[in-house]
PDB file of all heavy atoms in Angstrom:
ATOM      1  N   PHE A 349     -16.667  21.130  12.801  1.00  0.00           N
ATOM      2  CA  PHE A 349     -17.334  20.368  11.726  1.00  0.00           C
ATOM      3  C   PHE A 349     -16.467  20.320  10.499  1.00  0.00           C
ATOM      4  O   PHE A 349     -16.280  19.217   9.891  1.00  0.00           O
ATOM      5  CB  PHE A 349     -18.666  21.119  11.375  1.00  0.00           C
ATOM      6  CG  PHE A 349     -19.752  20.647  12.351  1.00  0.00           C
ATOM      7  CD1 PHE A 349     -21.006  21.231  12.300  1.00  0.00           C
ATOM      8  CD2 PHE A 349     -19.563  19.660  13.294  1.00  0.00           C
ATOM      9  CE1 PHE A 349     -22.021  20.855  13.134  1.00  0.00           C
ATOM     10  CE2 PHE A 349     -20.617  19.278  14.138  1.00  0.00           C
ATOM     11  CZ  PHE A 349     -21.837  19.929  14.094  1.00  0.00           C
ATOM     12  N   PRO A 350     -15.832  21.421  10.093  1.00  0.00           N
ATOM     13  CA  PRO A 350     -14.934  21.313   8.873  1.00  0.00           C
ATOM     14  C   PRO A 350     -13.785  20.394   9.067  1.00  0.00           C
ATOM     15  O   PRO A 350     -13.306  19.752   8.211  1.00  0.00           O
ATOM     16  CB  PRO A 350     -14.438  22.815   8.689  1.00  0.00           C
ATOM     17  CG  PRO A 350     -15.465  23.675   9.278  1.00  0.00           C
ATOM     18  CD  PRO A 350     -15.927  22.845  10.474  1.00  0.00           C
ATOM     19  N   VAL A 351     -13.255  20.343  10.342  1.00  0.00           N
ATOM     20  CA  VAL A 351     -12.146  19.419  10.613  1.00  0.00           C
ATOM     21  C   VAL A 351     -12.635  18.005  10.447  1.00  0.00           C
ATOM     22  O   VAL A 351     -11.960  17.086   9.932  1.00  0.00           O
ATOM     23  CB  VAL A 351     -11.666  19.686  12.101  1.00  0.00           C
ATOM     24  CG1 VAL A 351     -10.546  18.589  12.448  1.00  0.00           C
ATOM     25  CG2 VAL A 351     -10.991  21.103  12.147  1.00  0.00           C
ATOM     26  N   PHE A 352     -13.770  17.693  11.069  1.00  0.00           N
ATOM     27  CA  PHE A 352     -14.416  16.348  10.918  1.00  0.00           C
ATOM     28  C   PHE A 352     -14.640  15.976   9.407  1.00  0.00           C
ATOM     29  O   PHE A 352     -14.305  14.886   8.961  1.00  0.00           O
ATOM     30  CB  PHE A 352     -15.632  16.226  11.681  1.00  0.00           C
ATOM     31  CG  PHE A 352     -15.514  16.326  13.166  1.00  0.00           C
ATOM     32  CD1 PHE A 352     -16.549  16.804  13.938  1.00  0.00           C
ATOM     33  CD2 PHE A 352     -14.293  15.901  13.712  1.00  0.00           C
ATOM     34  CE1 PHE A 352     -16.355  16.884  15.282  1.00  0.00           C
ATOM     35  CE2 PHE A 352     -14.175  16.011  15.182  1.00  0.00           C
ATOM     36  CZ  PHE A 352     -15.252  16.495  15.931  1.00  0.00           C
ATOM     37  N   ALA A 353     -15.129  16.962   8.700  1.00  0.00           N
ATOM     38  CA  ALA A 353     -15.361  16.729   7.243  1.00  0.00           C
ATOM     39  C   ALA A 353     -14.118  16.390   6.520  1.00  0.00           C
ATOM     40  O   ALA A 353     -14.013  15.467   5.602  1.00  0.00           O
ATOM     41  CB  ALA A 353     -16.040  17.989   6.608  1.00  0.00           C
ATOM     42  N   GLN A 354     -13.022  17.178   6.847  1.00  0.00           N
ATOM     43  CA  GLN A 354     -11.667  16.865   6.114  1.00  0.00           C
ATOM     44  C   GLN A 354     -11.139  15.597   6.521  1.00  0.00           C
ATOM     45  O   GLN A 354     -10.525  14.846   5.651  1.00  0.00           O
ATOM     46  CB  GLN A 354     -10.720  18.032   6.541  1.00  0.00           C
ATOM     47  CG  GLN A 354     -11.081  19.362   5.923  1.00  0.00           C
ATOM     48  CD  GLN A 354     -10.120  20.494   6.392  1.00  0.00           C
ATOM     49  OE1 GLN A 354      -9.070  20.155   7.091  1.00  0.00           O
ATOM     50  NE2 GLN A 354     -10.449  21.693   6.097  1.00  0.00           N
ATOM     51  N   ALA A 355     -11.293  15.197   7.795  1.00  0.00           N
ATOM     52  CA  ALA A 355     -10.848  13.858   8.226  1.00  0.00           C
ATOM     53  C   ALA A 355     -11.566  12.755   7.474  1.00  0.00           C
ATOM     54  O   ALA A 355     -11.071  11.751   7.092  1.00  0.00           O
ATOM     55  CB  ALA A 355     -11.023  13.725   9.718  1.00  0.00           C
ATOM     56  N   ARG A 356     -12.937  12.966   7.337  1.00  0.00           N
ATOM     57  CA  ARG A 356     -13.731  11.890   6.602  1.00  0.00           C
ATOM     58  C   ARG A 356     -13.323  11.841   5.106  1.00  0.00           C
ATOM     59  O   ARG A 356     -13.166  10.723   4.581  1.00  0.00           O
ATOM     60  CB  ARG A 356     -15.154  12.305   6.727  1.00  0.00           C
ATOM     61  CG  ARG A 356     -16.121  11.231   6.004  1.00  0.00           C
ATOM     62  CD  ARG A 356     -17.563  11.416   6.361  1.00  0.00           C
ATOM     63  NE  ARG A 356     -18.023  12.711   5.951  1.00  0.00           N
ATOM     64  CZ  ARG A 356     -19.332  13.175   6.158  1.00  0.00           C
ATOM     65  NH1 ARG A 356     -20.203  12.363   6.744  1.00  0.00           N
ATOM     66  NH2 ARG A 356     -19.619  14.355   5.767  1.00  0.00           N
ATOM     67  N   GLU A 357     -13.088  13.074   4.585  1.00  0.00           N
ATOM     68  CA  GLU A 357     -12.622  13.012   3.200  1.00  0.00           C
ATOM     69  C   GLU A 357     -11.216  12.485   2.972  1.00  0.00           C
ATOM     70  O   GLU A 357     -11.013  11.747   1.996  1.00  0.00           O
ATOM     71  CB  GLU A 357     -12.614  14.474   2.635  1.00  0.00           C
ATOM     72  CG  GLU A 357     -12.351  14.577   1.076  1.00  0.00           C
ATOM     73  CD  GLU A 357     -13.244  13.713   0.308  1.00  0.00           C
ATOM     74  OE1 GLU A 357     -14.518  13.661   0.514  1.00  0.00           O
ATOM     75  OE2 GLU A 357     -12.707  12.872  -0.570  1.00  0.00           O
ATOM     76  N   LYS A 358     -10.438  12.592   3.982  1.00  0.00           N
ATOM     77  CA  LYS A 358      -9.100  12.109   3.909  1.00  0.00           C
ATOM     78  C   LYS A 358      -9.174  10.434   3.977  1.00  0.00           C
ATOM     79  O   LYS A 358      -8.394   9.785   3.212  1.00  0.00           O
ATOM     80  CB  LYS A 358      -8.219  12.490   5.079  1.00  0.00           C
ATOM     81  CG  LYS A 358      -6.788  11.951   5.039  1.00  0.00           C
ATOM     82  CD  LYS A 358      -6.033  12.638   3.823  1.00  0.00           C
ATOM     83  CE  LYS A 358      -4.644  12.180   3.828  1.00  0.00           C
ATOM     84  NZ  LYS A 358      -3.817  12.709   2.534  1.00  0.00           N
ATOM     85  N   ALA A 359     -10.041   9.981   4.773  1.00  0.00           N
ATOM     86  CA  ALA A 359     -10.311   8.567   4.793  1.00  0.00           C
ATOM     87  C   ALA A 359     -10.815   8.076   3.506  1.00  0.00           C
ATOM     88  O   ALA A 359     -10.415   7.027   2.968  1.00  0.00           O
ATOM     89  CB  ALA A 359     -11.318   8.140   5.894  1.00  0.00           C
ATOM     90  N   ARG A 360     -11.685   8.783   2.820  1.00  0.00           N
ATOM     91  CA  ARG A 360     -12.241   8.451   1.460  1.00  0.00           C
ATOM     92  C   ARG A 360     -11.094   8.462   0.405  1.00  0.00           C
ATOM     93  O   ARG A 360     -11.015   7.581  -0.422  1.00  0.00           O
ATOM     94  CB  ARG A 360     -13.369   9.379   1.070  1.00  0.00           C
ATOM     95  CG  ARG A 360     -14.666   9.146   1.880  1.00  0.00           C
ATOM     96  CD  ARG A 360     -15.654  10.292   1.539  1.00  0.00           C
ATOM     97  NE  ARG A 360     -16.951  10.029   2.164  1.00  0.00           N
ATOM     98  CZ  ARG A 360     -17.913  10.925   2.135  1.00  0.00           C
ATOM     99  NH1 ARG A 360     -17.758  12.025   1.518  1.00  0.00           N
ATOM    100  NH2 ARG A 360     -19.042  10.632   2.767  1.00  0.00           N
ATOM    101  N   GLN A 361     -10.248   9.449   0.555  1.00  0.00           N
ATOM    102  CA  GLN A 361      -9.147   9.552  -0.385  1.00  0.00           C
ATOM    103  C   GLN A 361      -8.189   8.382  -0.224  1.00  0.00           C
ATOM    104  O   GLN A 361      -7.800   7.809  -1.197  1.00  0.00           O
ATOM    105  CB  GLN A 361      -8.388  10.845  -0.156  1.00  0.00           C
ATOM    106  CG  GLN A 361      -7.197  11.035  -0.988  1.00  0.00           C
ATOM    107  CD  GLN A 361      -6.349  12.237  -0.740  1.00  0.00           C
ATOM    108  OE1 GLN A 361      -6.530  12.868   0.341  1.00  0.00           O
ATOM    109  NE2 GLN A 361      -5.500  12.625  -1.659  1.00  0.00           N
ATOM    110  N   ILE A 362      -7.913   7.891   0.993  1.00  0.00           N
ATOM    111  CA  ILE A 362      -7.120   6.741   1.198  1.00  0.00           C
ATOM    112  C   ILE A 362      -7.760   5.500   0.644  1.00  0.00           C
ATOM    113  O   ILE A 362      -7.043   4.653   0.043  1.00  0.00           O
ATOM    114  CB  ILE A 362      -6.865   6.572   2.771  1.00  0.00           C
ATOM    115  CG1 ILE A 362      -5.968   7.676   3.296  1.00  0.00           C
ATOM    116  CG2 ILE A 362      -6.175   5.216   3.016  1.00  0.00           C
ATOM    117  CD1 ILE A 362      -5.861   7.766   4.804  1.00  0.00           C
ATOM    118  N   THR A 363      -9.005   5.326   0.795  1.00  0.00           N
ATOM    119  CA  THR A 363      -9.673   4.185   0.100  1.00  0.00           C
ATOM    120  C   THR A 363      -9.627   4.311  -1.399  1.00  0.00           C
ATOM    121  O   THR A 363      -9.409   3.270  -2.027  1.00  0.00           O
ATOM    122  CB  THR A 363     -11.246   4.298   0.525  1.00  0.00           C
ATOM    123  OG1 THR A 363     -11.412   4.137   1.948  1.00  0.00           O
ATOM    124  CG2 THR A 363     -12.036   3.118  -0.178  1.00  0.00           C
ATOM    125  N   CYS A 364      -9.664   5.455  -1.937  1.00  0.00           N
ATOM    126  CA  CYS A 364      -9.490   5.648  -3.327  1.00  0.00           C
ATOM    127  C   CYS A 364      -8.085   5.268  -3.786  1.00  0.00           C
ATOM    128  O   CYS A 364      -7.908   4.691  -4.873  1.00  0.00           O
ATOM    129  CB  CYS A 364      -9.976   7.123  -3.741  1.00  0.00           C
ATOM    130  SG  CYS A 364     -10.059   7.398  -5.516  1.00  0.00           S
ATOM    131  N   VAL A 365      -7.195   5.686  -3.022  1.00  0.00           N
ATOM    132  CA  VAL A 365      -5.753   5.342  -3.389  1.00  0.00           C
ATOM    133  C   VAL A 365      -5.536   3.812  -3.362  1.00  0.00           C
ATOM    134  O   VAL A 365      -4.944   3.299  -4.369  1.00  0.00           O
ATOM    135  CB  VAL A 365      -4.748   5.952  -2.393  1.00  0.00           C
ATOM    136  CG1 VAL A 365      -3.372   5.298  -2.492  1.00  0.00           C
ATOM    137  CG2 VAL A 365      -4.717   7.423  -2.503  1.00  0.00           C
ATOM    138  N   SER A 366      -6.220   3.151  -2.368  1.00  0.00           N
ATOM    139  CA  SER A 366      -6.179   1.668  -2.377  1.00  0.00           C
ATOM    140  C   SER A 366      -6.801   1.082  -3.620  1.00  0.00           C
ATOM    141  O   SER A 366      -6.341   0.082  -4.141  1.00  0.00           O
ATOM    142  CB  SER A 366      -6.874   1.157  -1.053  1.00  0.00           C
ATOM    143  OG  SER A 366      -6.915  -0.199  -1.032  1.00  0.00           O
ATOM    144  N   ASN A 367      -7.961   1.628  -3.987  1.00  0.00           N
ATOM    145  CA  ASN A 367      -8.634   1.136  -5.229  1.00  0.00           C
ATOM    146  C   ASN A 367      -7.674   1.152  -6.402  1.00  0.00           C
ATOM    147  O   ASN A 367      -7.532   0.175  -7.062  1.00  0.00           O
ATOM    148  CB  ASN A 367      -9.858   2.094  -5.580  1.00  0.00           C
ATOM    149  CG  ASN A 367     -10.998   1.897  -4.563  1.00  0.00           C
ATOM    150  OD1 ASN A 367     -11.010   0.933  -3.707  1.00  0.00           O
ATOM    151  ND2 ASN A 367     -11.995   2.723  -4.658  1.00  0.00           N
ATOM    152  N   GLU A 368      -7.054   2.405  -6.661  1.00  0.00           N
ATOM    153  CA  GLU A 368      -6.227   2.518  -7.807  1.00  0.00           C
ATOM    154  C   GLU A 368      -4.929   1.563  -7.695  1.00  0.00           C
ATOM    155  O   GLU A 368      -4.447   1.074  -8.666  1.00  0.00           O
ATOM    156  CB  GLU A 368      -5.759   4.001  -7.965  1.00  0.00           C
ATOM    157  CG  GLU A 368      -6.990   4.852  -8.457  1.00  0.00           C
ATOM    158  CD  GLU A 368      -6.625   6.212  -8.878  1.00  0.00           C
ATOM    159  OE1 GLU A 368      -5.378   6.455  -9.031  1.00  0.00           O
ATOM    160  OE2 GLU A 368      -7.465   7.055  -9.055  1.00  0.00           O
ATOM    161  N   LYS A 369      -4.499   1.389  -6.506  1.00  0.00           N
ATOM    162  CA  LYS A 369      -3.364   0.572  -6.239  1.00  0.00           C
ATOM    163  C   LYS A 369      -3.681  -0.913  -6.677  1.00  0.00           C
ATOM    164  O   LYS A 369      -2.792  -1.526  -7.375  1.00  0.00           O
ATOM    165  CB  LYS A 369      -2.822   0.685  -4.817  1.00  0.00           C
ATOM    166  CG  LYS A 369      -1.623  -0.157  -4.532  1.00  0.00           C
ATOM    167  CD  LYS A 369      -0.346   0.394  -5.271  1.00  0.00           C
ATOM    168  CE  LYS A 369       0.937  -0.416  -4.922  1.00  0.00           C
ATOM    169  NZ  LYS A 369       2.057   0.148  -5.616  1.00  0.00           N
ATOM    170  N   GLN A 370      -4.935  -1.332  -6.367  1.00  0.00           N
ATOM    171  CA  GLN A 370      -5.292  -2.634  -6.778  1.00  0.00           C
ATOM    172  C   GLN A 370      -5.433  -2.772  -8.188  1.00  0.00           C
ATOM    173  O   GLN A 370      -5.139  -3.805  -8.884  1.00  0.00           O
ATOM    174  CB  GLN A 370      -6.503  -3.091  -5.941  1.00  0.00           C
ATOM    175  CG  GLN A 370      -6.348  -3.229  -4.487  1.00  0.00           C
ATOM    176  CD  GLN A 370      -7.534  -3.634  -3.792  1.00  0.00           C
ATOM    177  OE1 GLN A 370      -8.096  -4.762  -3.981  1.00  0.00           O
ATOM    178  NE2 GLN A 370      -8.118  -2.762  -2.922  1.00  0.00           N
ATOM    179  N   MET A 371      -5.947  -1.682  -8.810  1.00  0.00           N
ATOM    180  CA  MET A 371      -6.081  -1.705 -10.256  1.00  0.00           C
ATOM    181  C   MET A 371      -4.654  -1.806 -10.925  1.00  0.00           C
ATOM    182  O   MET A 371      -4.540  -2.515 -11.964  1.00  0.00           O
ATOM    183  CB  MET A 371      -6.733  -0.348 -10.790  1.00  0.00           C
ATOM    184  CG  MET A 371      -8.200  -0.229 -10.396  1.00  0.00           C
ATOM    185  SD  MET A 371      -8.805   1.389 -11.012  1.00  0.00           S
ATOM    186  CE  MET A 371     -10.110   1.654  -9.910  1.00  0.00           C
ATOM    187  N   GLY A 372      -3.701  -1.063 -10.455  1.00  0.00           N
ATOM    188  CA  GLY A 372      -2.409  -1.113 -10.929  1.00  0.00           C
ATOM    189  C   GLY A 372      -1.765  -2.534 -10.889  1.00  0.00           C
ATOM    190  O   GLY A 372      -1.094  -2.895 -11.727  1.00  0.00           O
ATOM    191  N   LEU A 373      -1.924  -3.116  -9.726  1.00  0.00           N
ATOM    192  CA  LEU A 373      -1.441  -4.467  -9.529  1.00  0.00           C
ATOM    193  C   LEU A 373      -1.982  -5.371 -10.534  1.00  0.00           C
ATOM    194  O   LEU A 373      -1.351  -6.303 -11.149  1.00  0.00           O
ATOM    195  CB  LEU A 373      -1.621  -4.980  -8.103  1.00  0.00           C
ATOM    196  CG  LEU A 373      -0.766  -4.227  -7.017  1.00  0.00           C
ATOM    197  CD1 LEU A 373      -1.252  -4.642  -5.652  1.00  0.00           C
ATOM    198  CD2 LEU A 373       0.771  -4.489  -7.177  1.00  0.00           C
ATOM    199  N   ALA A 374      -3.345  -5.335 -10.741  1.00  0.00           N
ATOM    200  CA  ALA A 374      -4.083  -6.242 -11.647  1.00  0.00           C
ATOM    201  C   ALA A 374      -3.559  -5.994 -13.067  1.00  0.00           C
ATOM    202  O   ALA A 374      -3.426  -6.892 -13.818  1.00  0.00           O
ATOM    203  CB  ALA A 374      -5.561  -5.970 -11.467  1.00  0.00           C
ATOM    204  N   MET A 375      -3.441  -4.699 -13.395  1.00  0.00           N
ATOM    205  CA  MET A 375      -3.017  -4.293 -14.752  1.00  0.00           C
ATOM    206  C   MET A 375      -1.548  -4.855 -15.018  1.00  0.00           C
ATOM    207  O   MET A 375      -1.260  -5.462 -16.092  1.00  0.00           O
ATOM    208  CB  MET A 375      -2.901  -2.806 -15.029  1.00  0.00           C
ATOM    209  CG  MET A 375      -2.609  -2.407 -16.399  1.00  0.00           C
ATOM    210  SD  MET A 375      -3.846  -2.815 -17.604  1.00  0.00           S
ATOM    211  CE  MET A 375      -5.125  -1.594 -17.333  1.00  0.00           C
ATOM    212  N   MET A 376      -0.693  -4.768 -14.051  1.00  0.00           N
ATOM    213  CA  MET A 376       0.662  -5.260 -14.160  1.00  0.00           C
ATOM    214  C   MET A 376       0.676  -6.831 -14.437  1.00  0.00           C
ATOM    215  O   MET A 376       1.404  -7.424 -15.191  1.00  0.00           O
ATOM    216  CB  MET A 376       1.500  -5.001 -12.934  1.00  0.00           C
ATOM    217  CG  MET A 376       1.773  -3.426 -12.781  1.00  0.00           C
ATOM    218  SD  MET A 376       2.564  -2.744 -14.211  1.00  0.00           S
ATOM    219  CE  MET A 376       2.455  -0.961 -13.764  1.00  0.00           C
ATOM    220  N   GLN A 377      -0.204  -7.547 -13.634  1.00  0.00           N
ATOM    221  CA  GLN A 377      -0.389  -8.962 -13.783  1.00  0.00           C
ATOM    222  C   GLN A 377      -0.902  -9.338 -15.200  1.00  0.00           C
ATOM    223  O   GLN A 377      -0.449 -10.257 -15.868  1.00  0.00           O
ATOM    224  CB  GLN A 377      -1.232  -9.539 -12.742  1.00  0.00           C
ATOM    225  CG  GLN A 377      -0.653  -9.509 -11.377  1.00  0.00           C
ATOM    226  CD  GLN A 377      -1.585  -9.993 -10.277  1.00  0.00           C
ATOM    227  OE1 GLN A 377      -1.840 -11.210 -10.225  1.00  0.00           O
ATOM    228  NE2 GLN A 377      -2.060  -9.175  -9.437  1.00  0.00           N
ATOM    229  N   TYR A 378      -1.972  -8.560 -15.645  1.00  0.00           N
ATOM    230  CA  TYR A 378      -2.509  -8.790 -17.013  1.00  0.00           C
ATOM    231  C   TYR A 378      -1.362  -8.595 -18.069  1.00  0.00           C
ATOM    232  O   TYR A 378      -1.220  -9.428 -18.951  1.00  0.00           O
ATOM    233  CB  TYR A 378      -3.579  -7.804 -17.216  1.00  0.00           C
ATOM    234  CG  TYR A 378      -4.186  -7.979 -18.654  1.00  0.00           C
ATOM    235  CD1 TYR A 378      -5.147  -8.717 -18.969  1.00  0.00           C
ATOM    236  CD2 TYR A 378      -3.605  -7.155 -19.638  1.00  0.00           C
ATOM    237  CE1 TYR A 378      -5.783  -8.888 -20.227  1.00  0.00           C
ATOM    238  CE2 TYR A 378      -4.086  -7.274 -20.996  1.00  0.00           C
ATOM    239  CZ  TYR A 378      -5.159  -8.130 -21.212  1.00  0.00           C
ATOM    240  OH  TYR A 378      -5.603  -8.223 -22.554  1.00  0.00           O
ATOM    241  N   ILE A 379      -0.652  -7.477 -17.913  1.00  0.00           N
ATOM    242  CA  ILE A 379       0.369  -7.202 -18.883  1.00  0.00           C
ATOM    243  C   ILE A 379       1.441  -8.258 -19.032  1.00  0.00           C
ATOM    244  O   ILE A 379       1.901  -8.754 -20.029  1.00  0.00           O
ATOM    245  CB  ILE A 379       1.075  -5.798 -18.557  1.00  0.00           C
ATOM    246  CG1 ILE A 379       0.072  -4.741 -18.846  1.00  0.00           C
ATOM    247  CG2 ILE A 379       2.373  -5.721 -19.304  1.00  0.00           C
ATOM    248  CD1 ILE A 379       0.540  -3.296 -18.405  1.00  0.00           C
ATOM    249  N   GLN A 380       1.833  -8.787 -17.752  1.00  0.00           N
ATOM    250  CA  GLN A 380       2.870  -9.904 -17.741  1.00  0.00           C
ATOM    251  C   GLN A 380       2.338 -11.213 -18.430  1.00  0.00           C
ATOM    252  O   GLN A 380       3.133 -11.865 -19.017  1.00  0.00           O
ATOM    253  CB  GLN A 380       3.197 -10.187 -16.269  1.00  0.00           C
ATOM    254  CG  GLN A 380       4.011  -9.151 -15.635  1.00  0.00           C
ATOM    255  CD  GLN A 380       4.329  -9.440 -14.130  1.00  0.00           C
ATOM    256  OE1 GLN A 380       3.891 -10.430 -13.639  1.00  0.00           O
ATOM    257  NE2 GLN A 380       4.940  -8.475 -13.448  1.00  0.00           N
ATOM    258  N   ASP A 381       1.053 -11.381 -18.389  1.00  0.00           N
ATOM    259  CA  ASP A 381       0.474 -12.626 -18.885  1.00  0.00           C
ATOM    260  C   ASP A 381       0.184 -12.522 -20.373  1.00  0.00           C
ATOM    261  O   ASP A 381      -0.338 -13.373 -21.044  1.00  0.00           O
ATOM    262  CB  ASP A 381      -0.849 -13.040 -18.142  1.00  0.00           C
ATOM    263  CG  ASP A 381      -0.479 -13.535 -16.764  1.00  0.00           C
ATOM    264  OD1 ASP A 381       0.719 -13.890 -16.542  1.00  0.00           O
ATOM    265  OD2 ASP A 381      -1.497 -13.650 -15.969  1.00  0.00           O
ATOM    266  N   ASN A 382       0.238 -11.141 -21.021  1.00  0.00           N
ATOM    267  CA  ASN A 382      -0.202 -10.964 -22.314  1.00  0.00           C
ATOM    268  C   ASN A 382       0.934 -10.285 -23.121  1.00  0.00           C
ATOM    269  O   ASN A 382       0.744  -9.186 -23.739  1.00  0.00           O
ATOM    270  CB  ASN A 382      -1.403 -10.108 -22.322  1.00  0.00           C
ATOM    271  CG  ASN A 382      -2.685 -10.951 -21.832  1.00  0.00           C
ATOM    272  OD1 ASN A 382      -3.328 -11.639 -22.588  1.00  0.00           O
ATOM    273  ND2 ASN A 382      -2.947 -10.836 -20.508  1.00  0.00           N
ATOM    274  N   ASP A 383       2.139 -10.780 -23.040  1.00  0.00           N
ATOM    275  CA  ASP A 383       3.267 -10.348 -23.898  1.00  0.00           C
ATOM    276  C   ASP A 383       3.545  -8.884 -23.813  1.00  0.00           C
ATOM    277  O   ASP A 383       3.785  -8.157 -24.791  1.00  0.00           O
ATOM    278  CB  ASP A 383       3.013 -10.702 -25.281  1.00  0.00           C
ATOM    279  CG  ASP A 383       2.886 -12.211 -25.536  1.00  0.00           C
ATOM    280  OD1 ASP A 383       3.592 -13.000 -24.875  1.00  0.00           O
ATOM    281  OD2 ASP A 383       1.948 -12.666 -26.399  1.00  0.00           O
TER     282      ASP A 383
END
C-alpha cells in the first residue's frame, strides 16, 4: 500500500511539474511580447 501511494504521488508530482512548465512557457511568451 505505501508503495502504491508513493507511485500515485509521483504521478501527481509529474502532473504538477507539467503545470509549472506550461506556466513558465506562457510567462516567457508574455515577457517577449511586453518589452
Side-chain angles (χ1 to χ4, degrees):
F349 280 173
V351 174
F352 292 151
Q354 291 178 9
R356 182 170 59 180
E357 186 52 49
K358 186 63 177 178
R360 291 173 174 173
Q361 180 183 15
I362 292 172
T363 298
C364 193
V365 168
S366 176
N367 289 349
E368 292 191 10
K369 184 64 177 177
Q370 293 181 68
M371 292 178 204
L373 292 172
M375 185 66 79
M376 295 303 173
Q377 293 178 68
Y378 175 93
I379 289 171
Q380 290 176 1
D381 289 344
N382 290 273
D383 299 323

